[in-house]
Amino acid sequence: MIVGTRDPFGFDRLHYHPRSGAAASGIRAVLRASGQPAGEPDAAAIAGYLSGERLVGRTVLRDVRAVPPGHALIRSPQGLTVQPAPGQPQHADLETVLRASLQRALDSGKRVALALSGGLDSALLLALLRELGAQRHVTSYVLVTDMPDYCERDAALELAAQMQANVKIVRANEADFVAALPRTTHAVEEPMFNLHPVAKLLLAEAMAGDGVEVAITGDGADQVLRRDQSANYLPLCHALFDAASVDLHPPFVDAAVVAHLTSIAPDPDKQCLRDLGARLNLPDRLVHGPKRGRLAPAMDLTALLDRDRAHALADTLGLAAPTLQADTERVLWTTLSLLLDHFDSLDAAHCPT
């Protein structure tokens, strides 16, 4: 029997507890379903997170596994097993399938918003919403941080003005990012190397506070067009919007859109999106300019980073003691400590004294 199938690029999470047979989207949900404690950390998997060489199918907990993208979880009398479940490419018209995905969100009967950055992917979705006559009814949310080389306020507001879209600015500073890091870590249930995912949670929480129920985002275009199945970002986005009780609707990971995009050659430069953007009169900088990857700048994690705790944790896991000099290392060890402490607290609640 098929318990569940994970999409090819890992947008939907699927975890399981082999000994109990429980399965659910997230790790905590699996533990609740299994009735089991979190148990011991998986030192090898954690080493993979820290080195950037993640172990497929493993989590920070030894007793909880993750179904890899493009695989199905099968239940049999012998227990749970994982089998490949490859997607089926199917050529279509890109604009048509993107429009159909957007229309489904608009027809949901729920309050819908768009997460608008200054980049090509969300700009393309805003242009298509304009074509559908919905750009003034779907508020465009723009996260404004004023952080150099990270904040996309000017580019996003220029797009919104061009498309005559209604805009809601969400302001967040470094203190907001740091304060939200524990909530972010608990939601994604894995160590992170940069604080960029925190921006997703801050945006999702702002939407939820305004009564938004469905968030359209440009997430997934890069992963699908690069054929990147590492699942080191998309499931985090999904988990963060789930944590804010907002349904995340990224058209680029819609099944029909993925089927089309995987029917053509890999397109890491996103030429197919640029061509569509040109037809929709997007600014020249988006149609012809270089792609700019954005990571959050280094932030002061002093309030959260316990260096003694990090060194003790490394010793317990049999890992080299971190120097905590580089920002990436500080973020990884901060989020790892937050996550394992969180699971320890769940175990304490599971086994009261």
Side-chain angles (χ1 to χ4, degrees), residues 162-329:
Q162 177 184 337
M163 306 284 180
Q164 297 182 311
N166 290 326
V167 172
K168 171 68 180 288
I169 289 178
V170 178
R171 296 192 179 276
N173 57 26
E174 179 173 330
D176 297 319
F177 270 71
V178 174
L181 185 57
R183 301 197 303 279
T184 303
T185 305
H186 298 165
V188 302
E189 300 181 321
E190 63 180 65
M192 295 176 290
F193 66 89
N194 184 263
L195 268 65
H196 179 59
V198 177
K200 295 289 185 181
L201 182 63
L202 293 173
L203 203 58
E205 290 177 341
M207 289 181 176
D210 290 342
V212 171
E213 299 167 280
V214 177
I216 296 170
T217 74
D219 295 312
D222 292 286
Q223 288 78 10
V224 177
L225 288 169
R226 289 199 311 258
R227 306 295 193 267
D228 176 4
Q229 295 183 295
S230 63
N232 63 359
Y233 182 65
L234 280 179
L236 278 63
C237 297
H238 199 174
L240 291 165
F241 277 84
D242 278 352
S245 299
V246 176
D247 293 336
L248 184 57
H249 185 89
F252 292 109
V253 296
D254 183 278
V257 177
V258 170
H260 166 67
L261 292 177
T262 54
S263 76
I264 64 177
D267 185 8
D269 194 45
K270 300 196 284 193
Q271 190 59 50
C272 63
L273 302 190
R274 295 172 186 270
D275 292 343
L276 178 55
R279 295 201 300 273
L280 295 172
N281 298 313
L282 289 186
D284 187 71
R285 65 175 179 81
L286 295 177
V287 173
H288 300 293
K291 173 178 169 52
R292 292 186 61 189
R294 293 187 187 275
L295 292 176
M299 300 186 199
D300 184 359
L301 299 178
T302 302
L304 298 175
L305 177 56
D306 184 332
R307 293 174 180 268
D308 290 339
R309 163 68 171 137
H311 288 135
L313 182 56
D315 185 61
T316 299
L317 296 172
L319 302 174
T323 64
L324 303 176
Q325 295 300 308
D327 178 64
T328 297
E329 191 178 37

